[in-house]
Amino acid sequence: MPSADLPSTDQPPPGRYAEAQAAAARDPEAFWLDAARAVDWTRAPTCAFDAGAGVYGRWFPDASLNACWNAVDRHVAGGRADQVAIRYDSPVTGTKRSISYAELLGAVTALAAVLAGLGVGRGDRVILYMPMVPEALFGMLACTRLGAVHSVVFGGFAANELAVRIEDAAPKVVLAASCGIEPNRVVAYKPLLDAAIAASKHKPDACLILQRPQGPARLVAGRDHDWAGAVAAAAGATVECVPVAATDPLYILYTSGTTGKPKGVVRDTGGYLVALAWSMTNLYGVAPGETYFCASDIGWVVGHSYIVYAPLLHGCTTVLYEGKPVGTPDPGALWRVVAETGAVCLFTAPTALRAIKKEDPTGACVAGHDLARFRTLFLAGERADPDSVAWAERVLGRPVIDHWWQTETGWAIAGNPVGLGLLPVKRGSACVPMPGYDVQVLDEGGRPVTAGTMGTLAIRLPLPPGCLPTLWGSDERMRASYLAAYPGWYDTSDAGIRDADGYVTVLGRTDDIINVAGHRLSTGGMEAVLAAHPDVAECAVIGIRDALKGEAPCGFVVLKAQVLRDPAEIERELVAKVRDEIGPVAAFKLALTVARLPKTRSGKILRATMKRIADHEPWTMPATIDDAGVLDEIGESLKARGIGVS
Ligand code: COA
Ligand code: AMP
């Protein structure tokens, strides 16, 4: 059913989504070669897909291009030189800045000259550990200009996580800022970078450090360079865009896997740009020259795609927001930015909406902002709960669109294609598969199930352009992680259902990944940190329901028999240890010492049942349990902290 009380939208002819979906299924070659016309190529593709290449085939195998040219240079050449490319809005520093496409070109070229001077060339990796400042975008695009491969590491990760990424990507250079700014503190990035480099076997040749006045850093002689000084010296330099194969990696983005070792998702260049260009017009319904506001972070895939590459590729103005949905300074912050920038859409996470709703339940903070140009709110990162969607529809009077994606896919798997004509919104559902994605629900044997039946959400191979061709350095891990479970399919590791109208509803992960405030985290990774504490005999981490963040991690630990210390003290140490080793983004605040963990007779910890108890959901005693009393003990320990009811 369509949502009630929505303003009428200019409906294009009905069925355009169905036509696009059918065309992409019937003749993917023709569909994607047509979409490829939105991109400038140095060698245009004559073939869209080579099924014999790579792990499951490769998109645009005979083409070449440069992504920086597409995102920057061509707009300067094509009449957008004076148009604002980046609107930087930073309530945490009290700064606003508008950067035109011409200025962006100058800044990116100067930085590319600096990187080239440090020896960076095509195929070399560069890690960025930076907050939401324009220089981070300059850095990504400067790498791209040189044909180098960037890898952005989210600022909320600790030194150890950064070290793992440095070791895996083996960057020639690291670009970092001296600090990031959170509402409650200045986060000194540089000591974390120094510690990460010390811990990593791979050492970068050089680091370029952006000194921020809120927390300048000490530079390491011989390795670190001052960003501003280096760029000033390179001002006016000419650095041409280096053409790369469409199949060359544009970036690596690490995401949580089921082990502690993150997966390096590889993004190719050509297929990605083609998919993003298609999505801007057809999914988001945004035209060149309009302003696109994605309030994510460049450390996440959503930020890569819809803060940086897609809006710039499309000749839009992108908004770079260094702040939070609440507290910087109030729950009207996002609406203020929408109004001031004239953004036609906002893309954020449901958790941000819940945070705003909590502080401004009546939507009073929307009033007073001129949202005349604002058309659509897009949500992703976790399932958009129907209450939040209904609330946002009411206070904004605009369509609120949930769409489902993963770091691996780079763009939406399913969504409501506003540009092709808004389909009826079913709150709680991510709507329909995007063209190129054949999404089916599979049973345990890998057979598609009937409409309305829950199972694993899988995508029939090949994946469409934009999705990962492989994992960095390991085709084998790619196969094992995603393709082995159901031959011929990509396993999303999400569970869900499709209804009779083809709408997809995503219900949760089938692996040990949890979703905390729209951030994807591995409970396995947290368990590894807890298990390494000298007093811990065994442990289990589960995600328990959290009204604001969707899920919050909760660790249960059994102490070694001989430990006589105060358990509360050990619990505090464990909370600090996860923060130190994974980072504040893990939001790990709850460690509970218990006498025993509930296990099956074969020794498997009953995490799912523990979660049901914590979430106050009905649960049944598993027949395979070793000792039924343990689950009651778990319920009691949760109850003692005010969580769940046994
Ligand atoms: N650098 C350093 N630390 C960071 C950070 C960064 N870039 N981002 C977050 N952190 C820290 C926070 O300061 C917080 O630390 P604390 O424990 O000292 O308070 C911790 O990591 C957890 O952060 P978060 O989970 O984001 O919680 P929050 O309380 O700061 O904010 C929300 C809550 C809902 C406002 C926030 O999570 C949010 O905006 N989420 C949207 C997520 C999103 O856009 N995801 C992308 C998918 S679209
Ligand atoms: P990430 O790789 O960090 O983008 O996280 C991807 C995971 O987030 C998916 O596998 C889902 O579990 C979850 N997710 C993202 N978007 C949605 C959505 N719209 N609905 C439900 N789950 C989502």
Side-chain angles (χ1 to χ4, degrees), residues 330-378:
D330 59 43
L334 296 186
W335 320 133
R336 172 189 67 75
V337 176
V338 168
E340 287 182 8
T341 61
V344 297
C345 69
L346 168 64
F347 182 164
T348 187
T351 187
L353 272 196
R354 291 194 296 271
I356 295 170
K357 184 172 68 164
K358 191 168 161 212
E359 293 197 10
D360 180 25
T362 62
C365 288
V366 178
H369 294 299
D370 176 7
L371 303 186
R373 278 181 275 183
F374 178 58
R375 297 194 292 264
T376 326
L377 175 65
F378 291 94

Side-chain angles (χ1 to χ4, degrees), residues 154-177:
F154 180 61
F157 283 120
N160 180 54
E161 291 288 322
L162 179 58
V164 170
R165 288 154 174 79
I166 292 176
E167 201 156 299
D168 197 65
K172 198 163 243 177
V173 171
V174 175
L175 302 180

Side-chain angles (χ1 to χ4, degrees), residues 11-27 31 278 282-283 415-424 431-437 498 501-503:
Q11 290 282 349
R16 282 182 55 205
Y17 160 72
E19 281 166 24
Q21 183 68 356
R26 194 174 51 241
D27 190 351
F31 184 89
W278 187 91
N282 299 290
L283 171 54
N416 196 329
V418 173
L420 291 173
L422 186 72
L423 299 176
C431 208
V432 292
M434 290 296 98
Y437 289 100
R498 282 193 79 182
D501 298 327
Y503 278 50

Side-chain angles (χ1 to χ4, degrees), residues 55-80:
V55 175
Y56 63 85
R58 296 303 305 261
W59 289 97
F60 306 110
D62 65 355
S64 67
L65 75 169
N66 180 278
C68 182
W69 168 270
N70 275 282
V72 185
D73 299 54
R74 68 166 173 164
H75 300 311
V76 175
R80 296 192 189 278

Side-chain angles (χ1 to χ4, degrees), residues 154-156 182-185 187 189 295-297 300 302 324-326 347-349 351-352 355 380-381 516-519 548-549 579 584-585 587 589:
F154 180 61
E182 286 295 289
N184 55 356
R185 67 194 190 285
V187 182
Y189 281 8
S296 178
D297 187 288
W300 308 118
V302 168
K324 301 273 176 180
V326 294
F347 182 164
T348 187
T351 187
V516 181
H519 310 315
L548 177 64
K549 300 196 175 191
R579 191 176 172 94
V585 69
K589 313 252 176 190

Side-chain angles (χ1 to χ4, degrees), residues 239-253:
V239 180
E240 296 303 329
C241 293
V242 175
V244 300
T247 51
D248 273 5
L250 176 63
Y251 62 79
I252 307 165
L253 184 55

